[in-house]
């Protein structure tokens, strides 16, 4: 039955291509994604006396479609559709729908793509080495991974200025320009008319012309610059970014964020990174919030081992409160994670992670949790 369905689908595609040959000629389609399984164990939790069990299983998947063509003159153009969070809880989340044009002038992207401040504000060595195993799933991805699907987290840290506290989202529809590399130096900049909620950010039609309770910012502009080069097999990267946007509702503050970070991937397999993200203002508070993320990793062929630490400090009256305790007005946050990834076979990876989190507040009860997760991911 599966063979019949595939044959019918292929016949349909071929028929469509034949009918519109001048339009689709030369276009290639690539389908990729992953499926993951995770088992989790709560080792300690501030609220563990309310748990009915301290273990669980999770599963998730992603499916991505990429269309691409390159003309005889060297002009490249294409598009991406990404279905994320493919599971029974979410059904499916569409978080990438964009097209691009690329040439010697750089790349211009139109649609729901990552912010420039995310591209150039993200510095995390573990993720670089994670990609060497072909994992690419967010599972086993340290502080930027899926471990908190089991343990839960208020995500009071920022790996890049869009993350968590910042309130920006790659689903926001934008126009972005990314330059080519000039002796290792490149930059990017983008513009987004409205950000906030699935009913806005370029997908709301007429609704985008009005603000409602889910609207966060308007006229968001972000940008960044990067230098990267390789010396005797060792790659050095430095990045900086900045972004601004206007808060549009009463109590919704402007967006103002900056980042500065560096990373070294040594020829021996060792890698390290440090990234500082400063929020002068976000939709949640017009108070300074600083987050520093550090990582030390080692790539040994079929495996990656790493430890990451994120520290956040926030000014008084920042409005960052706990969803797990009575804690209010975040003072400091500590998040630590140790990761071990192993490639069992082409496209088949296993991961084990031990995470610890502590939220300290100026009022109410602090939150503290330790979780162990392990699982498998197949990438294709």
């Amino acid at each position: 039955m599966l063979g019949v369905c595939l044959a019918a689908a292929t016949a349909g595609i071929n028929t469509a291509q034949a009918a519109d040959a001048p339009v689709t000629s030369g276009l290639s389609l690539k389908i990729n994604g992953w499926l993951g399984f995770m088992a989790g164990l709560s080792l300690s939790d501030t609220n563990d006396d309310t748990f009915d069990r301290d273990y669980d299983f999770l599963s998730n998947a992603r499916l991505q479609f990429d269309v691409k063509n390159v003309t005889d003159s060297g002009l490249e153009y294409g598009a991406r559709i990404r279905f994320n969070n493919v599971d029974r809880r979410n059904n499916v989340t569409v978080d990438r729908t964009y097209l691009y044009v690329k040439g010697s002038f750089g790349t211009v992207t139109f649609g729901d793509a990552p912010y420039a401040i995310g591209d150039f504000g993200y510095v995390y060595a573990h993720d670089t080495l994670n990609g060497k195993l072909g994992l690419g799933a967010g599972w086993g991805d340290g502080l930027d991974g899926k471990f908190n699907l089991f343990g839960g987290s208020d995500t009071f840290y920022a790996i890049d200025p869009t993350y968590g506290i910042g309130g920006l989202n790659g689903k926001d529809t934008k126009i972005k320009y990314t330059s080519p590399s000039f002796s290792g130096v490149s930059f990017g900049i983008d513009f987004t008319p409205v950000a906030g909620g699935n009913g806005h950010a370029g997908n709301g039609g007429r609704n985008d012309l009005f603000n409602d309770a889910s609207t966060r910012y308007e006229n968001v502009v972000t940008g960044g610059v990067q230098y990267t080069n390789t010396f005797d097999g060792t790659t050095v990267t430095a990045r900086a970014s900045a972004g601004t946007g206007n808060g549009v509702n009463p109590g919704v503050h402007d967006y103002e964020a900056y980042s500065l970070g560096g990373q070294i991937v040594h020829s021996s397999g060792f890698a390290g990174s440090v990234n500082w993200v400063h929020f002068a203002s976000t939709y949640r508070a017009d108070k300074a919030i600083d987050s520093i993320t550090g990582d030390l990793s080692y790539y040994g062929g079929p495996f990656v081992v790493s430890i990451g630490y994120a520290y956040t400090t926030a000014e008084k009256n920042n409005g960052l409160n706990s969803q797990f305790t009575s804690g209010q007005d975040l003072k400091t946050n500590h998040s630590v994670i140790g990761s071990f990834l192993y490639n069992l076979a082409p496209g088949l990876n296993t991961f084990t992670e031990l995470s610890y989190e502590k939220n300290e507040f100026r009022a109410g009860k602090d939150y503290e949790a330790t979780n162990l997760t392990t699982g498998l991911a197949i990438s294709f």
Side-chain angles (χ1 to χ4, degrees):
M1 180 62 72
L2 178 59
V4 173
C5 292
L6 289 174
T10 303
I13 292 173
N14 290 337
T15 301
Q17 290 178 336
D20 300 307
V23 177
T24 62
S25 178
L27 285 171
S28 63
L29 172 65
K30 180 181 179 181
I31 302 175
N32 59 70
W34 56 265
L35 296 92
F37 167 83
M38 180 191 297
L41 175 66
S42 174
L43 301 178
S44 67
D45 191 286
T46 301
N47 292 330
D48 58 9
D49 58 345
T50 66
F51 290 170
D52 292 316
R53 65 195 60 83
D54 55 11
Y55 54 88
D56 194 17
F57 295 154
L58 294 169
S59 60
N60 206 329
R62 172 186 294 169
L63 190 61
Q64 181 171 290
F65 299 84
D66 289 310
V67 178
K68 175 183 173 181
N69 190 28
V70 181
T71 67
D72 293 338
S73 63
L75 179 69
E76 178 182 329
Y77 58 93
R80 170 170 292 179
I81 301 174
R82 190 172 85 176
F83 300 95
N84 206 18
N85 297 322
V86 181
D87 57 41
R88 290 182 291 109
R89 177 180 179 180
N90 299 285
N91 291 323
V92 62
T93 301
V94 182
D95 66 346
R96 294 283 186 270
T97 51
Y98 65 84
L99 57 92
Y100 70 91
V101 179
K102 181 179 181 181
S104 59
F105 54 83
T107 303
V108 184
T109 306
F110 308 87
D112 308 342
Y115 278 92
I117 200 172
D119 294 337
F120 293 91
Y122 183 84
V123 184
Y124 192 33
H126 172 83
D127 189 64
T128 301
L129 300 187
N130 181 353
K132 289 180 177 290
L133 295 185
L135 195 60
W139 295 65
D141 202 13
L143 291 168
D144 199 27
K146 304 291 186 180
F147 70 94
N148 56 15
L149 286 178
F150 168 75
S153 173
D154 280 310
T155 318
F156 289 141
Y157 60 91
I159 295 181
D160 70 60
T162 69
Y163 196 87
I165 306 169
L168 295 181
N169 194 312
K171 299 176 186 177
D172 300 338
T173 305
K174 60 188 69 66
I175 296 177
K176 178 172 66 173
Y177 169 75
T178 306
S179 78
S181 177
F182 304 99
S183 300
V185 178
S186 59
F187 66 91
I189 188 169
D190 58 33
F191 170 71
T192 305
V194 58
N198 290 334
H200 287 290
N203 299 301
R206 181 178 173 82
N207 288 340
D208 275 0
L209 304 181
F210 303 91
N211 297 325
D212 62 21
S214 66
T215 313
R216 292 181 179 175
Y217 309 115
E218 66 178 1
N219 299 329
V220 178
V221 178
T222 79
V225 62
Q226 166 184 287
Y227 171 78
T228 185
N229 220 326
T230 301
F231 307 93
D232 297 326
T234 296
T235 302
V236 177
T237 301
R239 289 175 173 169
S241 69
T244 182
N246 301 323
V248 296
N249 283 325
V252 176
H253 305 281
D254 293 344
Y255 175 78
E256 183 181 350
Y258 309 89
S259 77
L260 186 65
Q263 174 179 292
I264 296 177
V265 181
H266 195 264
S267 56
S268 65
F270 283 98
S273 62
V274 176
N275 200 32
W276 165 64
V277 176
H278 172 73
F279 296 104
S281 175
T282 73
Y283 75 103
R284 301 183 69 170
D286 59 348
K287 304 296 181 181
I289 303 171
D290 291 275
S291 193
I292 300 173
T293 304
D295 178 77
L296 181 63
S297 301
Y298 177 74
Y299 170 71
F303 72 91
V304 171
V305 60
S306 72
I307 184 168
Y309 170 61
Y311 170 77
T312 300
T313 180
E315 285 186 345
K316 291 182 179 180
N317 302 316
N318 52 69
L320 300 179
N321 304 327
S322 173
Q323 63 175 313
F324 305 116
T325 70
S326 61
Q328 298 181 25
D329 192 10
L330 180 71
K331 184 178 180 181
T332 58
N333 174 81
H334 308 269
S335 295
V336 185
I337 189 165
S339 305
F340 178 75
L341 319 178
Y342 192 85
N343 178 244
L344 297 172
L348 177 60
N349 291 278
T350 183
F351 59 90
T352 299
E353 296 190 306
L354 179 64
S355 62
Y356 169 80
E357 179 178 20
K358 185 175 184 180
N359 312 145
E360 298 176 325
F361 300 93
R362 294 183 173 88
K365 190 176 183 180
D366 292 344
Y367 175 70
E368 191 170 10
T370 306
N371 297 288
L372 178 67
T373 56
T374 187
L376 292 167
I378 294 180
S379 304
F380 58 90

